[in-house]
């Protein structure tokens, strides 16, 4: 699949447009870099596509884009439903759909790459060069060190807002915005086919509350926070 191979090539498709030692200009936005006080890892200061760093739990300007798991930045990730193409239930036959339609109504948005291996390798292209979509272990390591709920997450060095997610069953709706945070990880589920792993951040003390790893269908739209590659 030459289209897939072209997507993986970072030198032409993805490039840092400019910046200094603490900022990166990428895809029309300028991000700052923040360093974990516990792990020393470097992250972007906000979710991909967010226009500002979160100032409060329900700061909608800090939510950013909502990606389907493993899918490129092709327009489907837009958080503004108006003006976007009509969603479709027709799945892609490759890991590059060739359109910007949000694919819904099924567990995965493509009929190939069931084990997710191709997308794990290619998905880093949505991040600036030298950065990657984190694995679940990388997200969880930061979470257990610095935050336990949406309030502490938004006040942490990562400034994670409660952005909720876009439904894979009804793409015209977002769920849990302003109350819960969800971030995709570059990790597939070992428990359920066509599912992938995420980190959820919820309030309360009941089942599923706090910071928890989860498994969601790959058609759901969630936010992404990029981490700098280990040197």
């Amino acid at each position: 699949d030459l289209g897939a191979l072209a997507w993986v090539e970072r030198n032409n498709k993805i490039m840092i447009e400019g910046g200094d030692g603490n900022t990166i200009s990428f895809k029309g936005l300028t991000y700052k870099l923040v360093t974990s006080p516990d792990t020393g890892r470097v992250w972007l200061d906000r979710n991909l596509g967010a226009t500002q760093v979160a100032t409060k739990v329900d700061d909608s300007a800090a939510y950013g884009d909502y990606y389907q798991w493993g899918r490129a930045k092709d327009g489907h990730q837009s958080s503004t439903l108006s003006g976007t193409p009509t969603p479709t239930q027709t799945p892609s036959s490759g890991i590059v759909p060739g359109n910007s339609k949000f694919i819904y109504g099924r567990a995965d948005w493509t009929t190939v790459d069931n084990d997710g291996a191709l997308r794990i390798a290619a998905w880093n292209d949505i991040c600036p060069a030298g950065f990657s979509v984190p694995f679940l272990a990388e997200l969880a390591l930061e979470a257990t060190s610095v935050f336990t709920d949406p309030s502490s997450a938004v006040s942490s060095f990562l400034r994670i807002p409660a952005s909720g997610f876009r439904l894979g069953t009804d793409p015209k709706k977002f769920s849990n915005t302003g109350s819960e945070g969800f971030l995709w990880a570059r990790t597939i589920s070992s428990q359920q086919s066509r599912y992938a792993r995420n980190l959820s951040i919820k309030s309360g003390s009941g089942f599923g509350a706090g910071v928890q790893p989860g498994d969601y269908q790959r058609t759901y739209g969630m936010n992404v926070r990029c981490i700098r590659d280990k040197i």
Side-chain angles (χ1 to χ4, degrees):
D1 187 338
L2 295 179
L5 290 175
W7 180 28
V8 177
E9 288 186 346
R10 296 171 67 80
N11 57 336
N12 292 323
K13 296 289 286 183
I14 301 295
M15 61 183 293
I16 294 177
E17 299 166 354
D20 55 32
N22 193 48
T23 63
I24 289 177
S25 294
F26 181 67
K27 298 294 184 181
L29 293 172
T30 299
Y31 300 86
K32 289 187 178 297
L33 309 184
V34 293
T35 302
S36 167
D38 294 298
T39 67
R41 299 295 302 276
V42 176
W43 299 76
L44 296 187
D45 64 345
R46 60 192 187 274
N47 296 341
L48 280 179
T51 57
Q52 68 179 39
V53 176
T55 59
K56 55 182 180 177
V57 169
D58 59 349
D59 187 351
S60 60
Y63 290 170
D65 295 329
Y66 291 79
Y67 285 87
Q68 295 189 300
W69 187 85
R71 189 169 171 181
K73 182 182 177 70
D74 54 19
H76 84 280
Q77 77 285 344
S78 175
S79 60
T80 304
L81 296 180
S82 60
T84 58
T86 303
T88 180
Q89 290 186 290
T90 302
S92 172
S93 59
I95 64 170
V96 181
N99 62 63
S100 57
K101 295 183 177 183
F102 196 92
I103 299 167
Y104 73 103
R106 49 189 296 116
D108 204 347
W109 52 269
T110 179
T111 58
V112 300
D113 190 37
N114 290 342
D115 64 2
L118 292 176
R119 283 173 284 178
I120 287 175
W123 206 19
N124 287 336
D125 283 5
I126 66 173
C127 294
F131 284 74
S132 303
V133 180
F135 288 104
L136 180 61
E138 294 172 314
L139 277 173
L141 190 60
E142 302 290 6
T144 55
S145 301
V146 298
F147 54 85
T148 58
D149 57 19
S151 180
S152 57
V154 79
S155 61
S156 73
F157 80 97
L158 285 173
R159 299 287 181 179
I160 300 173
S163 48
F165 54 81
R166 187 177 182 182
L167 292 171
T169 53
D170 186 350
K172 295 183 179 180
K173 293 183 179 179
F174 290 85
S175 179
N176 302 96
T177 53
S179 60
E180 299 177 0
F182 293 84
L183 291 171
W184 272 131
R186 192 162 47 103
T187 307
I188 60 171
S189 171
S190 61
Q191 304 297 319
Q192 301 184 78
S193 176
R194 297 179 177 83
Y195 279 61
R197 309 226 72 191
N198 78 299
L199 193 75
S200 64
I201 309 163
K202 305 177 183 179
S203 298
S205 57
F207 178 77
V211 179
Q212 300 283 345
D215 297 275
Y216 273 75
Q217 294 180 347
R218 298 171 188 173
T219 47
Y220 276 65
M222 293 186 190
N223 304 121
V224 171
R225 181 69 63 95
C226 299
I227 186 173
R228 189 157 70 184
D229 299 333
K230 288 184 177 180
I231 299 174

